[in-house]
Amino acid sequence: MGLMGSYYASNREMDASEWCIRNKIFVSPISDKKNSNKWYLEIELNGKINRSKESFGKVVIWEKLYEYYLYYYNKYND
């Protein structure tokens, strides 16, 4: 995985990410162009893209990515 580190998502996290992707909710890690050890998250929802204000280091970026997927899954899944 390189600079982003490695992370093994739980079954619950994988289910949430798959549900979000099927429902056109995308969370993507974006590298900081000035510092390759910093990552942001871009969230695309309803055609709008928002970027996290906070940057994250390796491994933490994955934890936050799945945290967002779980958040949206819990918010919108009926």
Side-chain angles (χ1 to χ4, degrees), residues 3 8 15 44 52 74:
L3 296 175
Y8 295 98
D15 289 345
E44 182 177 349
S52 63
N74 290 328

Side-chain angles (χ1 to χ4, degrees), residues 14-59:
M14 290 302 297
D15 289 345
S17 68
E18 290 171 10
W19 182 91
C20 285
I21 292 166
R22 279 195 311 274
N23 287 278
K24 297 183 174 31
I25 301 170
F26 305 103
V27 182
S28 305
I30 305 295
S31 177
D32 185 316
K33 291 181 171 128
K34 295 177 185 174
N35 183 345
S36 62
N37 292 318
K38 290 169 100 179
W39 296 86
Y40 294 89
L41 288 172
E42 281 191 352
I43 298 110
E44 182 177 349
L45 176 64
N46 297 326
K48 271 187 138 174
I49 298 175
N50 292 298
R51 181 179 282 197
S52 63
K53 293 178 183 175
E54 184 180 356
S55 66
F56 307 99
K58 66 180 183 178
V59 181

